[in-house]
Amino acid sequence: MKLELVPIPVADVDLAKAFYADRLGFTADVDVRPADGVRVVQLTPPGSACSIGFGTGLPVYEAPSGSVRGLHLVVADIDAARAELVGRGVEVGEVTDVGGGVRYAGFADPDGNGWTLQEMPWRTGDAF
């Protein structure tokens, strides 16, 4: 089994799409309107096999916007990843070392959905 898509609840689909594509650098894979009142947007983080999705008109998108917390983006170099996002205008918290070389830095999308950059030293190179 592979996790392929995580729904993210957002209030404004266009604002969310711009944030994820322009600020975070996610690839915009899908933006379709298959029926009246239905819109499906899917984006994928660089290097990821799992995408996020949001939109309108389907029950999967009915969670309160901003209610998702703790999504992790694993990066090889958290300092470089944080600097890149800050340079793109994302408000990213300071890097915190929680021990064992594991380091975190958090940020949120415009709706308040919470994300974490995570660096784990054993998940770099070919293991990343």
Side-chain angles (χ1 to χ4, degrees):
M1 286 186 236
K2 290 194 307 184
L3 180 64
E4 298 247 347
L5 182 70
V6 176
I8 306 293
V10 302
D12 182 324
V13 174
D14 290 322
L15 179 66
K17 182 180 177 187
F19 175 80
Y20 285 101
D22 300 339
R23 297 282 175 101
L24 297 185
F26 286 22
T27 300
D29 302 308
V30 174
D31 188 346
V32 296
R33 298 171 195 261
D36 269 354
V38 176
R39 183 173 178 193
V40 175
V41 176
Q42 183 174 322
L43 299 103
T44 305
S48 181
C50 185
S51 302
I52 62 166
F54 45 81
T56 58
L58 296 174
V60 71
Y61 304 135
E62 292 176 0
S65 60
S67 61
V68 170
R69 302 282 186 278
L71 294 171
H72 283 55
L73 295 170
V74 177
V75 297
D77 181 338
I78 197 167
D79 297 307
R82 181 183 181 280
E84 179 179 342
L85 293 182
V86 168
R88 291 172 171 243
V90 180
E91 292 183 29
V92 183
E94 294 299 318
V95 175
T96 302
D97 188 328
V98 296
V102 178
R103 298 170 42 179
Y104 293 104
F107 66 92
D109 73 7
D111 287 287
N113 293 301
W115 289 83
T116 300
L117 296 175
Q118 180 185 44
E119 178 187 277
M120 298 182 294
W122 57 90
R123 291 198 58 192
T124 58
D126 291 337
F128 182 60

PDB file of all heavy atoms in Angstrom, residues 34-61:
ATOM      1  N   PRO A  34     -14.901  18.860 -12.884  1.00  0.00           N
ATOM      2  CA  PRO A  34     -15.593  17.780 -13.584  1.00  0.00           C
ATOM      3  C   PRO A  34     -17.121  17.881 -13.584  1.00  0.00           C
ATOM      4  O   PRO A  34     -17.771  17.164 -14.338  1.00  0.00           O
ATOM      5  CB  PRO A  34     -15.136  16.530 -12.841  1.00  0.00           C
ATOM      6  CG  PRO A  34     -14.789  17.019 -11.472  1.00  0.00           C
ATOM      7  CD  PRO A  34     -14.263  18.403 -11.654  1.00  0.00           C
ATOM      8  N   ALA A  35     -17.681  18.742 -12.748  1.00  0.00           N
ATOM      9  CA  ALA A  35     -19.133  18.917 -12.687  1.00  0.00           C
ATOM     10  C   ALA A  35     -19.433  20.283 -12.092  1.00  0.00           C
ATOM     11  O   ALA A  35     -18.555  20.924 -11.500  1.00  0.00           O
ATOM     12  CB  ALA A  35     -19.765  17.817 -11.830  1.00  0.00           C
ATOM     13  N   ASP A  36     -20.675  20.742 -12.245  1.00  0.00           N
ATOM     14  CA  ASP A  36     -21.078  22.020 -11.655  1.00  0.00           C
ATOM     15  C   ASP A  36     -20.781  22.038 -10.158  1.00  0.00           C
ATOM     16  O   ASP A  36     -21.168  21.112  -9.436  1.00  0.00           O
ATOM     17  CB  ASP A  36     -22.587  22.246 -11.850  1.00  0.00           C
ATOM     18  CG  ASP A  36     -22.899  23.001 -13.122  1.00  0.00           C
ATOM     19  OD1 ASP A  36     -21.950  23.454 -13.792  1.00  0.00           O
ATOM     20  OD2 ASP A  36     -24.097  23.132 -13.429  1.00  0.00           O
ATOM     21  N   GLY A  37     -20.065  23.071  -9.708  1.00  0.00           N
ATOM     22  CA  GLY A  37     -19.767  23.236  -8.285  1.00  0.00           C
ATOM     23  C   GLY A  37     -18.649  22.372  -7.757  1.00  0.00           C
ATOM     24  O   GLY A  37     -18.336  22.416  -6.571  1.00  0.00           O
ATOM     25  N   VAL A  38     -18.043  21.569  -8.607  1.00  0.00           N
ATOM     26  CA  VAL A  38     -16.968  20.676  -8.173  1.00  0.00           C
ATOM     27  C   VAL A  38     -15.647  21.147  -8.784  1.00  0.00           C
ATOM     28  O   VAL A  38     -15.553  21.391  -9.986  1.00  0.00           O
ATOM     29  CB  VAL A  38     -17.230  19.208  -8.593  1.00  0.00           C
ATOM     30  CG1 VAL A  38     -16.056  18.317  -8.213  1.00  0.00           C
ATOM     31  CG2 VAL A  38     -18.523  18.699  -7.967  1.00  0.00           C
ATOM     32  N   ARG A  39     -14.658  21.275  -7.921  1.00  0.00           N
ATOM     33  CA  ARG A  39     -13.301  21.591  -8.382  1.00  0.00           C
ATOM     34  C   ARG A  39     -12.335  20.702  -7.617  1.00  0.00           C
ATOM     35  O   ARG A  39     -12.451  20.533  -6.389  1.00  0.00           O
ATOM     36  CB  ARG A  39     -12.965  23.055  -8.120  1.00  0.00           C
ATOM     37  CG  ARG A  39     -11.588  23.447  -8.652  1.00  0.00           C
ATOM     38  CD  ARG A  39     -11.352  24.918  -8.541  1.00  0.00           C
ATOM     39  NE  ARG A  39     -10.031  25.305  -8.997  1.00  0.00           N
ATOM     40  CZ  ARG A  39      -9.494  26.489  -8.778  1.00  0.00           C
ATOM     41  NH1 ARG A  39     -10.195  27.422  -8.134  1.00  0.00           N
ATOM     42  NH2 ARG A  39      -8.283  26.769  -9.203  1.00  0.00           N
ATOM     43  N   VAL A  40     -11.390  20.131  -8.323  1.00  0.00           N
ATOM     44  CA  VAL A  40     -10.399  19.237  -7.740  1.00  0.00           C
ATOM     45  C   VAL A  40      -9.016  19.768  -8.102  1.00  0.00           C
ATOM     46  O   VAL A  40      -8.692  19.902  -9.283  1.00  0.00           O
ATOM     47  CB  VAL A  40     -10.564  17.793  -8.260  1.00  0.00           C
ATOM     48  CG1 VAL A  40      -9.456  16.894  -7.730  1.00  0.00           C
ATOM     49  CG2 VAL A  40     -11.940  17.252  -7.906  1.00  0.00           C
ATOM     50  N   VAL A  41      -8.225  20.078  -7.079  1.00  0.00           N
ATOM     51  CA  VAL A  41      -6.855  20.556  -7.262  1.00  0.00           C
ATOM     52  C   VAL A  41      -5.928  19.586  -6.545  1.00  0.00           C
ATOM     53  O   VAL A  41      -6.197  19.202  -5.406  1.00  0.00           O
ATOM     54  CB  VAL A  41      -6.678  21.985  -6.698  1.00  0.00           C
ATOM     55  CG1 VAL A  41      -5.224  22.437  -6.808  1.00  0.00           C
ATOM     56  CG2 VAL A  41      -7.605  22.955  -7.420  1.00  0.00           C
ATOM     57  N   GLN A  42      -4.857  19.198  -7.212  1.00  0.00           N
ATOM     58  CA  GLN A  42      -3.880  18.290  -6.621  1.00  0.00           C
ATOM     59  C   GLN A  42      -2.486  18.820  -6.893  1.00  0.00           C
ATOM     60  O   GLN A  42      -2.172  19.202  -8.020  1.00  0.00           O
ATOM     61  CB  GLN A  42      -4.054  16.898  -7.217  1.00  0.00           C
ATOM     62  CG  GLN A  42      -3.142  15.852  -6.626  1.00  0.00           C
ATOM     63  CD  GLN A  42      -3.473  14.464  -7.171  1.00  0.00           C
ATOM     64  OE1 GLN A  42      -4.628  14.119  -7.372  1.00  0.00           O
ATOM     65  NE2 GLN A  42      -2.445  13.675  -7.408  1.00  0.00           N
ATOM     66  N   LEU A  43      -1.658  18.861  -5.846  1.00  0.00           N
ATOM     67  CA  LEU A  43      -0.274  19.329  -5.961  1.00  0.00           C
ATOM     68  C   LEU A  43       0.647  18.342  -5.263  1.00  0.00           C
ATOM     69  O   LEU A  43       0.249  17.688  -4.295  1.00  0.00           O
ATOM     70  CB  LEU A  43      -0.121  20.707  -5.310  1.00  0.00           C
ATOM     71  CG  LEU A  43      -0.965  21.821  -5.932  1.00  0.00           C
ATOM     72  CD1 LEU A  43      -2.158  22.103  -5.061  1.00  0.00           C
ATOM     73  CD2 LEU A  43      -0.142  23.057  -6.111  1.00  0.00           C
ATOM     74  N   THR A  44       1.894  18.272  -5.728  1.00  0.00           N
ATOM     75  CA  THR A  44       2.851  17.325  -5.169  1.00  0.00           C
ATOM     76  C   THR A  44       4.124  18.048  -4.743  1.00  0.00           C
ATOM     77  O   THR A  44       4.704  18.802  -5.530  1.00  0.00           O
ATOM     78  CB  THR A  44       3.206  16.245  -6.213  1.00  0.00           C
ATOM     79  OG1 THR A  44       2.004  15.629  -6.667  1.00  0.00           O
ATOM     80  CG2 THR A  44       4.125  15.186  -5.616  1.00  0.00           C
ATOM     81  N   PRO A  45       4.561  17.813  -3.494  1.00  0.00           N
ATOM     82  CA  PRO A  45       5.831  18.403  -3.049  1.00  0.00           C
ATOM     83  C   PRO A  45       6.995  17.870  -3.889  1.00  0.00           C
ATOM     84  O   PRO A  45       6.967  16.716  -4.330  1.00  0.00           O
ATOM     85  CB  PRO A  45       5.963  17.928  -1.598  1.00  0.00           C
ATOM     86  CG  PRO A  45       4.589  17.522  -1.181  1.00  0.00           C
ATOM     87  CD  PRO A  45       3.905  17.043  -2.429  1.00  0.00           C
ATOM     88  N   PRO A  46       8.021  18.678  -4.095  1.00  0.00           N
ATOM     89  CA  PRO A  46       9.189  18.219  -4.854  1.00  0.00           C
ATOM     90  C   PRO A  46       9.773  16.951  -4.240  1.00  0.00           C
ATOM     91  O   PRO A  46       9.987  16.884  -3.031  1.00  0.00           O
ATOM     92  CB  PRO A  46      10.181  19.373  -4.745  1.00  0.00           C
ATOM     93  CG  PRO A  46       9.409  20.551  -4.270  1.00  0.00           C
ATOM     94  CD  PRO A  46       8.195  20.026  -3.565  1.00  0.00           C
ATOM     95  N   GLY A  47       9.976  15.940  -5.047  1.00  0.00           N
ATOM     96  CA  GLY A  47      10.585  14.701  -4.585  1.00  0.00           C
ATOM     97  C   GLY A  47       9.638  13.749  -3.878  1.00  0.00           C
ATOM     98  O   GLY A  47      10.053  12.685  -3.426  1.00  0.00           O
ATOM     99  N   SER A  48       8.370  14.080  -3.777  1.00  0.00           N
ATOM    100  CA  SER A  48       7.419  13.249  -3.045  1.00  0.00           C
ATOM    101  C   SER A  48       6.609  12.366  -3.974  1.00  0.00           C
ATOM    102  O   SER A  48       6.310  12.746  -5.109  1.00  0.00           O
ATOM    103  CB  SER A  48       6.472  14.130  -2.233  1.00  0.00           C
ATOM    104  OG  SER A  48       5.552  13.332  -1.503  1.00  0.00           O
ATOM    105  N   ALA A  49       6.215  11.207  -3.470  1.00  0.00           N
ATOM    106  CA  ALA A  49       5.293  10.333  -4.191  1.00  0.00           C
ATOM    107  C   ALA A  49       3.867  10.555  -3.710  1.00  0.00           C
ATOM    108  O   ALA A  49       2.936   9.992  -4.268  1.00  0.00           O
ATOM    109  CB  ALA A  49       5.696   8.874  -3.993  1.00  0.00           C
ATOM    110  N   CYS A  50       3.693  11.358  -2.673  1.00  0.00           N
ATOM    111  CA  CYS A  50       2.371  11.638  -2.118  1.00  0.00           C
ATOM    112  C   CYS A  50       1.999  13.090  -2.394  1.00  0.00           C
ATOM    113  O   CYS A  50       2.815  13.984  -2.218  1.00  0.00           O
ATOM    114  CB  CYS A  50       2.360  11.372  -0.617  1.00  0.00           C
ATOM    115  SG  CYS A  50       0.731  11.546   0.145  1.00  0.00           S
ATOM    116  N   SER A  51       0.767  13.294  -2.826  1.00  0.00           N
ATOM    117  CA  SER A  51       0.270  14.628  -3.153  1.00  0.00           C
ATOM    118  C   SER A  51      -0.714  15.108  -2.102  1.00  0.00           C
ATOM    119  O   SER A  51      -1.182  14.336  -1.267  1.00  0.00           O
ATOM    120  CB  SER A  51      -0.440  14.590  -4.508  1.00  0.00           C
ATOM    121  OG  SER A  51       0.419  14.141  -5.518  1.00  0.00           O
ATOM    122  N   ILE A  52      -1.040  16.391  -2.178  1.00  0.00           N
ATOM    123  CA  ILE A  52      -2.131  16.948  -1.390  1.00  0.00           C
ATOM    124  C   ILE A  52      -3.242  17.327  -2.361  1.00  0.00           C
ATOM    125  O   ILE A  52      -2.988  17.553  -3.543  1.00  0.00           O
ATOM    126  CB  ILE A  52      -1.703  18.173  -0.553  1.00  0.00           C
ATOM    127  CG1 ILE A  52      -1.223  19.311  -1.455  1.00  0.00           C
ATOM    128  CG2 ILE A  52      -0.653  17.779   0.486  1.00  0.00           C
ATOM    129  CD1 ILE A  52      -1.113  20.642  -0.747  1.00  0.00           C
ATOM    130  N   GLY A  53      -4.461  17.379  -1.848  1.00  0.00           N
ATOM    131  CA  GLY A  53      -5.576  17.763  -2.684  1.00  0.00           C
ATOM    132  C   GLY A  53      -6.544  18.632  -1.921  1.00  0.00           C
ATOM    133  O   GLY A  53      -6.686  18.509  -0.697  1.00  0.00           O
ATOM    134  N   PHE A  54      -7.189  19.538  -2.624  1.00  0.00           N
ATOM    135  CA  PHE A  54      -8.249  20.360  -2.039  1.00  0.00           C
ATOM    136  C   PHE A  54      -9.164  20.800  -3.165  1.00  0.00           C
ATOM    137  O   PHE A  54      -8.871  20.597  -4.343  1.00  0.00           O
ATOM    138  CB  PHE A  54      -7.691  21.555  -1.260  1.00  0.00           C
ATOM    139  CG  PHE A  54      -6.598  22.321  -1.946  1.00  0.00           C
ATOM    140  CD1 PHE A  54      -6.885  23.276  -2.911  1.00  0.00           C
ATOM    141  CD2 PHE A  54      -5.273  22.090  -1.615  1.00  0.00           C
ATOM    142  CE1 PHE A  54      -5.873  23.984  -3.534  1.00  0.00           C
ATOM    143  CE2 PHE A  54      -4.246  22.801  -2.233  1.00  0.00           C
ATOM    144  CZ  PHE A  54      -4.550  23.755  -3.202  1.00  0.00           C
ATOM    145  N   GLY A  55     -10.294  21.347  -2.793  1.00  0.00           N
ATOM    146  CA  GLY A  55     -11.231  21.775  -3.814  1.00  0.00           C
ATOM    147  C   GLY A  55     -12.578  22.122  -3.226  1.00  0.00           C
ATOM    148  O   GLY A  55     -12.690  22.506  -2.053  1.00  0.00           O
ATOM    149  N   THR A  56     -13.615  21.951  -4.043  1.00  0.00           N
ATOM    150  CA  THR A  56     -14.975  22.293  -3.644  1.00  0.00           C
ATOM    151  C   THR A  56     -15.948  21.239  -4.163  1.00  0.00           C
ATOM    152  O   THR A  56     -15.659  20.520  -5.124  1.00  0.00           O
ATOM    153  CB  THR A  56     -15.391  23.654  -4.239  1.00  0.00           C
ATOM    154  OG1 THR A  56     -15.283  23.592  -5.669  1.00  0.00           O
ATOM    155  CG2 THR A  56     -14.532  24.792  -3.714  1.00  0.00           C
ATOM    156  N   GLY A  57     -17.101  21.175  -3.508  1.00  0.00           N
ATOM    157  CA  GLY A  57     -18.203  20.388  -4.017  1.00  0.00           C
ATOM    158  C   GLY A  57     -18.175  18.904  -3.751  1.00  0.00           C
ATOM    159  O   GLY A  57     -19.052  18.183  -4.221  1.00  0.00           O
ATOM    160  N   LEU A  58     -17.212  18.414  -3.005  1.00  0.00           N
ATOM    161  CA  LEU A  58     -17.140  16.994  -2.656  1.00  0.00           C
ATOM    162  C   LEU A  58     -17.040  16.839  -1.134  1.00  0.00           C
ATOM    163  O   LEU A  58     -16.405  17.668  -0.463  1.00  0.00           O
ATOM    164  CB  LEU A  58     -15.923  16.337  -3.312  1.00  0.00           C
ATOM    165  CG  LEU A  58     -15.916  16.294  -4.843  1.00  0.00           C
ATOM    166  CD1 LEU A  58     -14.587  15.759  -5.354  1.00  0.00           C
ATOM    167  CD2 LEU A  58     -17.067  15.444  -5.360  1.00  0.00           C
ATOM    168  N   PRO A  59     -17.638  15.781  -0.584  1.00  0.00           N
ATOM    169  CA  PRO A  59     -17.598  15.587   0.871  1.00  0.00           C
ATOM    170  C   PRO A  59     -16.184  15.560   1.464  1.00  0.00           C
ATOM    171  O   PRO A  59     -15.970  16.009   2.583  1.00  0.00           O
ATOM    172  CB  PRO A  59     -18.298  14.236   1.066  1.00  0.00           C
ATOM    173  CG  PRO A  59     -19.197  14.099  -0.116  1.00  0.00           C
ATOM    174  CD  PRO A  59     -18.460  14.774  -1.256  1.00  0.00           C
ATOM    175  N   VAL A  60     -15.206  15.071   0.713  1.00  0.00           N
ATOM    176  CA  VAL A  60     -13.833  14.995   1.215  1.00  0.00           C
ATOM    177  C   VAL A  60     -13.261  16.374   1.535  1.00  0.00           C
ATOM    178  O   VAL A  60     -12.339  16.500   2.340  1.00  0.00           O
ATOM    179  CB  VAL A  60     -12.925  14.221   0.222  1.00  0.00           C
ATOM    180  CG1 VAL A  60     -12.690  15.041  -1.036  1.00  0.00           C
ATOM    181  CG2 VAL A  60     -11.614  13.818   0.870  1.00  0.00           C
ATOM    182  N   TYR A  61     -13.841  17.437   0.955  1.00  0.00           N
ATOM    183  CA  TYR A  61     -13.342  18.791   1.176  1.00  0.00           C
ATOM    184  C   TYR A  61     -14.132  19.552   2.230  1.00  0.00           C
ATOM    185  O   TYR A  61     -13.958  20.764   2.376  1.00  0.00           O
ATOM    186  CB  TYR A  61     -13.361  19.582  -0.138  1.00  0.00           C
ATOM    187  CG  TYR A  61     -12.581  18.940  -1.260  1.00  0.00           C
ATOM    188  CD1 TYR A  61     -13.119  18.871  -2.534  1.00  0.00           C
ATOM    189  CD2 TYR A  61     -11.310  18.415  -1.046  1.00  0.00           C
ATOM    190  CE1 TYR A  61     -12.402  18.284  -3.578  1.00  0.00           C
ATOM    191  CE2 TYR A  61     -10.605  17.819  -2.080  1.00  0.00           C
ATOM    192  CZ  TYR A  61     -11.154  17.762  -3.343  1.00  0.00           C
ATOM    193  OH  TYR A  61     -10.452  17.189  -4.360  1.00  0.00           O
TER     194      TYR A  61
END
